[in-house]
Each structure stands twice: as C-alpha cells, then as structure tokens.
C-alpha cells in the first residue's frame, strides 16, 4: 500500500473527572489524531497516546507533533509498503526513540491494511475473541473515602479488575481500606508509575500482604535491575509498564527476573508490530500480558480492544467504556461495557469498527496540518 496523505490534528477533550497519577494530573486530554488516506482511497484514523507533560515517558504531544511533521510523515509518504508489519523499520531509519509518534503512523497503517482487505483490525492482528474483559484504573483521590467509594462503584458496575494508582503517602492505608471494602474476591492491583525506590521496603512488605494480583511499575521507569531485586523480595508479581519499550526489554526482564506480568500499550512500544512481538514472546515464556490504556479517545481505544482480543491477554485490560472518560466521545458508536465487565470486539466491519464523528472532531480541533 501507499499512504498518499496524512492530516494531523490536535483536539482537546475534557475528562469527566481529573485523573491523577504519582507524577502528575490531567483534567483535559490533549489528543493528537491522524487521518491517513491511501492511494486506493482507503482512509483510517489513528491516535497518538502522548500527553501534555513528559511525566509518563519523555514524549509529549508537542514532541510527537514536531517529529511527525519534521521527520516521520514524509518518510511514510515517500514509499509504498507490502505489509503494515514493515512500516516500523522504515520509521526507525535515522530516528531514535519517539515511539509514541511512530506508533501513530504505524498503527494507522495496520488499520488501513485491515480496511483495504475487508478485515476487522482484530482479525488482521490474529485476535479471535468476540469480547474482552475490562478493568478500571482509578486515579489518586483526595481522600481514602473517595477512593473506597469509587472502587465500590466500579465493582458494582461489573469491572473485572480494579487498579489503584498509588504514590508515597497514599498507598498502604487507602489500598487496605479498599481491600476491606470490596472483599478478597475482587481482583485488585496497584500502579505506582515509578514513584518508589528499593529503600521503600516497609511499604512493599505491607502491600505484599494485601492479596494484590500485581504491583505495576513500582520503581524507576528504566531500571530493570532494581525491579529484579524487588521481585526477589516479593510474593506479589511485579508488572512492568513504562520499562517495556520493546521486545528487547522483555528479554532483559526474563533474563533478570524483573517482573512476571507485562502491560502492553501499543503507543508506548512504537506500534502494533512491537506489541505482537511482545505478546508472542510472553506467551512463549508463560508471562501473562494485558492491554494498558493512556486515557485514549474512542479512536485509540479501538486499537487497544482489537489487540486485547489476542489469546495471551489473560488479565482484564484498562479498556473502560467511553463514558468513564468523556461526556461525549469522538466516535460512534461509543464504547460501552456490559454489566459483567465485557467490551465487544468489533468484528463485523472492516477496520476499527467505529467511525469518527467528523463534526465533533472539527469542533474540538485546535490545530491541524496536512501532508501530501
Ligand atoms: O500507567 O497505566 C498507566 C494513564 C495515563 C498514564 C499512565 C497510565 C494511565 C492509566 C489509564 O492507568 C488507564 C486508562 O486509560 O483507563
Ligand atoms: Mg501503568
């Protein structure tokens, strides 16, 4: 295929409530959307997961906007490709890092390819599920009571996993309170977003007693050796998020024993090709994976849901329905969840299975740039 034009846009989407993690808070999502058009007329939308601030990864929406415009789009427009699986290598030539920016185009190419072949994205990726299990990620709350209330509501709504964001000073006590409120049977996890060090031993010992399904990214985002040291001391599996930037980091994790679960976010690892490689390697090694989220709009969510339909995704994903994030999404139909925590994987139409509401996207657009 050959991509003939790319239009980048930034839209602003207010969250229904602010989302706080250990390293920062967001109340309005700045979302970079891309519209790719192929020479044969096929169109696909994709989304960049980078946020306003470099507090999760070094990338931001502004670095992505810049590197796409300066380096990446031009490269994609220059040549045709046999398979979307080949696009990443081309984007990597002479451009280090910037995985979220690269993923924007790479993922769009998978959707173009699926659409042109008349296949759903899930089918194109090799996923065979018709629905995927969903968990909720609850941000840090001002009080323990507020957190307990949200956790109770999430369990009542049917979510199959409840993940609590933690930071030093808001960890053992609120997590213990949630565990007491929801009971032993609820799958509970915590995500520190790299807020701790190996010297926080007492906190980890206490968390280790709370029956958590995993502790996500407790330590420095790029320190696999420290995670290996911590994993040796804990019963609870460590799940790596920020640390896994590609399949090479999975090899290192396995060699060092840095974790026992992997959170795959296609944006973080540079696209769907890398996600498939990580999935495959983890299945082979017996490491459970699940699909993380980055507060995506309904566009990015379509890619995550399709990916989570693969067999190695054994834990519920951070794939909440549209209404958990937005008063109104930018796609139709909006993403919904059944009352037993399942999201339907679109399989009956080619491509993403949701359409972009152009009127709404136009109204929310604060900048746009067209190439080709
Ligand atoms: O660490 O998983 C994370 C959101 C922004 C940045 C990092 C993370 C998250 C989430 C959100 O947990 C999950 C979701 O999209 O529902
Ligand atoms: Mg995380």
């Amino acid at each position: 295929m050959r991509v003939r034009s790319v239009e980048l846009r930034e839209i602003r989407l207010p969250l229904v409530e602010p989302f706080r993690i250990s390293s920062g808070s967001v109340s309005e999502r700045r979302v970079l959307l891309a519209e790719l058009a192929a020479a044969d007329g096929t169109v696909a939308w994709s989304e960049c997961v980078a946020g306003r601030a470099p507090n999760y990864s070094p990338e931001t929406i502004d670095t992505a906007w810049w590197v796409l415009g300066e380096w990446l789009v031009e490269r994609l427009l220059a040549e045709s490709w046999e398979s979307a699986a080949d696009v990443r290598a081309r984007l990597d030539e002479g451009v280090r890092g910037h995985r979220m920016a690269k993923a924007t185009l790479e993922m769009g190419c998978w959707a173009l390819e699926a659409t042109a072949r008349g296949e759903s994205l899930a089918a194109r990726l090799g996923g065979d599920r018709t629905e995927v299990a969903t968990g909720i990620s609850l941000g840090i709350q001002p009080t323990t009571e507020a957190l307990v209330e949200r956790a109770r509501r999430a369990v009542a709504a049917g979510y199959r996993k409840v993940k609590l964001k933690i930071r030093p000073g808001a960890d053992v006590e609120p997590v213990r309170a949630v565990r007491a409120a929801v009971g032993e049977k609820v799958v509970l996890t915590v995500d520190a977003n790299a807020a701790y060090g190996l010297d926080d031993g007492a906190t980890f010992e206490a968390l280790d007693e709370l029956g958590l399904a995993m502790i996500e990214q407790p330590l420095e985002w790029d320190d696999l050796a420290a995670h290996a040291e911590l994993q040796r001391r804990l019963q609870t599996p460590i799940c790596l998020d920020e640390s896994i930037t590609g399949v090479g980091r999975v090899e290192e994790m396995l060699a060092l024993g840095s974790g026992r679960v992997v959170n795959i976010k296609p944006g973080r690892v540079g696209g769907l090709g890398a996600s498939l490689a990580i999935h495959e390697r983890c299945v082979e090694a017996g490491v459970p994976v699940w699909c993380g989220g980055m507060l995506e709009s309904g566009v990015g969510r379509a890619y995550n849901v399709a990916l989570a339909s693969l067999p190695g995704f054994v834990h519920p994903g951070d794939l909440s329905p549209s209404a958990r994030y937005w008063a109104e999404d930018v796609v139709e139909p909006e993403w919904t969840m059944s009352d037993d925590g399942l999201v339907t994987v679109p399989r009956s139409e080619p491509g993403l299975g949701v359409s972009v509401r152009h009127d709404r996207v136009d109204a929310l657009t604060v900048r746009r740039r067209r190439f080709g």
Side-chain angles (χ1 to χ4, degrees):
M1 292 190 82
R2 173 102 180 229
V3 178
R4 196 194 54 208
S5 71
V6 173
E7 182 164 64
L8 304 180
R9 302 177 178 242
E10 177 179 342
I11 63 167
R12 305 251 164 122
L13 268 184
L15 285 157
V16 291
E17 65 176 20
F19 189 79
R20 176 171 295 280
I21 68 173
S22 57
S23 54
S25 176
V26 54
S27 51
E28 184 187 58
R29 195 75 171 77
R30 290 177 60 193
V31 181
L32 193 166
L33 295 176
E35 185 180 7
L36 287 70
D40 68 0
T42 310
V43 172
W45 286 73
S46 67
E47 175 169 344
C48 178
V49 299
R52 180 184 61 86
N55 66 323
Y56 168 83
S57 89
E59 288 186 83
T60 69
I61 178 170
D62 295 304
T63 67
W65 186 275
W66 171 80
V67 81
L68 281 160
E70 199 74 19
W71 299 97
L72 299 176
V73 172
E74 178 185 295
R75 203 157 289 192
L76 183 66
L77 295 176
E79 288 171 81
S80 57
W81 34 273
E82 276 304 308
S83 150
D86 302 333
V87 169
R88 172 68 189 273
R90 201 151 305 163
L91 299 174
D92 277 345
E93 279 167 35
V95 182
R96 298 264 166 85
H98 296 285
R99 290 180 191 82
M100 293 176 176
K102 289 171 181 172
T104 315
L105 299 179
E106 195 256 15
M107 292 165 74
C109 289
W110 282 92
L112 277 179
E113 184 172 85
T115 308
R117 293 169 61 123
E119 291 178 279
S120 66
L121 180 61
R124 180 90 284 264
L125 296 175
D128 52 12
R129 292 187 184 137
T130 55
E131 41 195 17
V132 292
T134 297
I136 192 169
S137 173
L138 294 173
I140 295 165
Q141 301 296 322
T143 63
T144 296
E145 294 67 44
L147 182 66
V148 167
E149 176 53 28
R150 275 169 177 73
R152 276 191 210 276
R153 268 195 264 147
V155 172
Y159 283 104
R160 298 207 173 187
K161 183 184 84 181
V162 177
K163 162 168 135 180
L164 310 174
K165 292 290 188 177
I166 56 170
R167 64 169 170 83
D171 42 40
V172 178
E173 188 262 337
V175 177
R176 199 177 271 150
V178 169
R179 175 54 91 199
V182 300
E184 294 301 318
K185 287 216 282 273
V186 168
V187 180
L188 207 59
T189 78
V190 295
D191 186 356
N193 288 111
Y196 295 87
L198 279 175
D199 52 1
D200 290 307
T203 303
F204 291 120
E205 270 169 43
L207 289 173
D208 211 16
E209 300 296 313
L210 296 176
L212 301 173
M214 67 192 85
I215 299 179
E216 186 174 340
Q217 198 68 40
L219 308 176
E220 270 296 291
W221 67 283
D222 58 353
D223 197 339
L224 288 173
H227 280 97
E229 171 60 31
L230 181 61
Q231 183 65 91
R232 278 192 284 278
R233 300 187 205 155
L234 296 178
Q235 297 287 315
T236 311
I238 289 177
C239 168
L240 295 179
D241 173 353
E242 285 90 323
S243 291
I244 303 296
T245 49
V247 72
R249 302 301 301 239
V250 174
E251 293 299 348
E252 292 168 15
M253 177 194 91
L254 293 169
L256 293 167
S258 314
R260 300 186 188 141
V261 183
V262 170
N263 166 336
I264 302 182
K265 295 177 181 172
R268 186 194 68 227
V269 302
L272 289 166
S275 301
L276 294 177
I278 292 169
H279 169 263
E280 193 178 329
R281 185 67 185 96
C282 287
V283 168
E284 183 186 275
V287 170
V289 307
W290 56 281
C291 185
M294 290 291 288
L295 311 174
E296 286 90 345
S297 82
V299 175
R301 200 158 302 281
Y303 290 87
N304 291 348
V305 169
L307 182 64
S309 75
L310 274 86
F313 287 77
V314 298
H315 290 289
D318 283 345
L319 303 166
S320 299
S322 301
R324 184 261 182 278
Y325 309 93
W326 327 110
E328 211 184 335
D329 207 334
V330 296
V331 297
E332 57 193 359
E334 294 207 344
W335 293 96
T336 56
M337 182 180 82
S338 69
D339 54 19
D340 57 349
L342 298 171
V343 170
T344 300
V345 179
R347 309 195 64 97
S348 61
E349 295 169 49
L352 301 184
V354 288
S355 27
V356 170
R357 293 176 50 190
H358 292 244
D359 54 338
R360 179 151 168 73
V361 167
D362 280 345
L364 294 166
T365 297
V366 296
R367 57 172 160 165
R368 60 204 284 180
R369 188 168 166 200
R370 206 185 151 76
F371 304 82

